[in-house]
Amino acid sequence: MIEIEEIKKGTSRYYKVSTYANDNKLISIRTVRYTLKSIPYNKIRCYMLFDNDGNCVENVFNFINMYKVSIAETSREKYSLYLRYLYEFSGIIDKDISRFQRNDIDKFVVFLSGYDPNSSLADSFYTYSSKSEETIAAIFNVVKEYVDYCGYASSKYFYNYRGIKRRAYGKQKANTICPKFISLKEMELILNYIDNDTSLSKEAKMEYSLIYKLMFNKGLRIGEVLGITLEDFEEIYNNDGELYYKLYIRNRMSDSKDQRAKRCLTMDGQYSYNAPIYHRLDIGYQQVFLSEEFHDDIIEYFDVMSARFKREEKTLFKADAIDGISDNWYIFYNKKKPTPLSKDILYNYTREMFKNLNIHIDKYVRTNNLFHRFRHGFCMYLLYVENIPPLQACKLTRHRNAEGLAIYNNPTEDMLAELMMQVEEGTELYG
């Protein structure tokens, strides 16, 4: 079994090719990464394509910057992008372009289309891309000219190929409708799965459970979770003297791109900590509230994790302190390195867990972010289980207005049917 997955990191992307045995045991993982760069040279801009090993692809360089030097710069940039698709595909199937056969051309169109209805490319195909037939035709026009320029024997297959229509693959296999949110029942399955996962240590079980709870029970985004530090908790007592905690969500200079808090002030140097706007609610920071028990569970995990690293004589990566003096640390760290938890590691575990629990994930074009579905579930719980009015729910979800919350209102057919039955029962009084 072959699984192909497009991985996006910031503005860059690469492909991961995983091979599994018949018993679903992972055999190998390959990464395919081609990078485009451009530099000014003699009053023109040169475009270069680099492979996994950082080597410039000479044929592409010569084709774009010498053979096609007379065309517009924007066209040469587009040609470079189209040829990157070709080389990425070549790396995915691990076959030199000069040796392509007719069936490889078929697979190339599948790759460009962003879906694989007949499993001609891989058993599982996960991609963000879905190019139109017009775009695929434009890519093929460039690729045909390029392989002819290179003198590859495979050029005849590119030139003879005419079926750049999706219907050439038969009836398109529909992507299973993928719910946009995690339901309460699914959340229970997830927590039970973690608790019974023998591959995880007790410490990892604590960490993963807390992260998913922060997203589902409190509506935090993944970046907000990974950016939490020890100093972000504040003790609060209500009028009855009961203790709970305020959790501050904010950005720091020490944060990585995976730890950014949306809609919070972006840092612009250390002086930002002293700026009055940094300490203004809904501008410099946002807040959520935790029970004493939830807070204690988080601190217990941190104590267990930090004690282990201390025994291993490893120093935890520090987070900036707001006062610039105190010691401060992030809450969630990687298992082996004392650095903030990698979002990619958590993503891989989440996706595998979803597959094992039969929680739908996008099969072809991925539009439903795995992490954001927890926050989405929080919103749906407020609206459909607790029946909290949208204007009040906005205060808990940290949306500015009901319009911002509206995009989270995506009930399933079962939920709509149940609501319709309730309406029918109510209207029977007036029948």
Side-chain angles (χ1 to χ4, degrees), residues 130-163:
S130 180
K131 297 173 181 58
S132 67
E133 293 175 0
E134 292 76 13
T135 300
I136 294 174
I139 293 171
F140 254 78
N141 287 335
V142 173
V143 168
K144 286 177 182 179
E145 188 174 4
Y146 173 73
V147 294
D148 189 51
Y149 165 83
C150 293
Y152 292 151
S154 58
S155 63
K156 60 183 178 182
Y157 297 111
F158 285 96
Y159 271 90
N160 291 336
Y161 190 77
R162 295 293 182 267

Side-chain angles (χ1 to χ4, degrees), residues 346-360:
L346 185 64
Y347 172 83
N348 290 335
Y349 182 83
T350 304
R351 187 171 61 82
E352 190 65 25
M353 175 176 64
F354 278 21
K355 289 167 62 176
N356 291 335
L357 290 175
N358 292 320
I359 295 176
H360 292 307

Side-chain angles (χ1 to χ4, degrees), residues 256-267:
S256 70
K257 62 182 180 181
D258 288 343
Q259 297 173 296
R260 306 242 172 94
K262 187 177 180 180
R263 287 183 48 219
C264 290
L265 186 69
T266 301
M267 302 304 294

Side-chain angles (χ1 to χ4, degrees), residues 191 194 200 203-213 332 341 345-346 349:
L191 295 178
I194 295 171
L200 296 178
E203 177 188 313
K205 290 180 181 181
M206 295 170 66
E207 181 179 38
Y208 286 2
S209 295
L210 288 169
I211 290 173
Y212 294 129
K213 284 180 180 179
F332 300 108
L341 180 64
I345 291 175
L346 185 64
Y349 182 83

Side-chain angles (χ1 to χ4, degrees), residues 7-14 33 35 84 257:
I7 308 293
K8 279 194 173 183
K9 297 188 72 173
T11 57
S12 64
R13 66 104 187 275
Y14 65 93
R33 187 194 305 266
T35 308
R84 184 179 73 171
K257 62 182 180 181

Side-chain angles (χ1 to χ4, degrees), residues 210-273:
L210 288 169
I211 290 173
Y212 294 129
K213 284 180 180 179
L214 283 166
M215 292 189 290
F216 183 84
N217 295 12
K218 300 299 176 180
L220 269 66
R221 301 173 178 89
I222 185 59
E224 296 167 347
V225 172
L226 299 181
I228 297 173
T229 75
L230 279 180
E231 73 173 4
D232 291 330
F233 299 97
E234 180 183 352
E235 288 187 357
I236 302 290
Y237 289 89
N238 63 18
N239 293 332
D240 297 325
E242 296 174 332
L243 173 65
Y244 62 97
Y245 285 83
K246 180 189 294 185
L247 172 60
Y248 288 89
I249 298 172
R250 48 196 169 191
N251 289 312
R252 288 175 167 79
M253 287 292 296
S254 58
D255 289 347
S256 70
K257 62 182 180 181
D258 288 343
Q259 297 173 296
R260 306 242 172 94
K262 187 177 180 180
R263 287 183 48 219
C264 290
L265 186 69
T266 301
M267 302 304 294
D268 187 22
Q270 295 292 336
Y271 65 85
S272 297
Y273 295 127

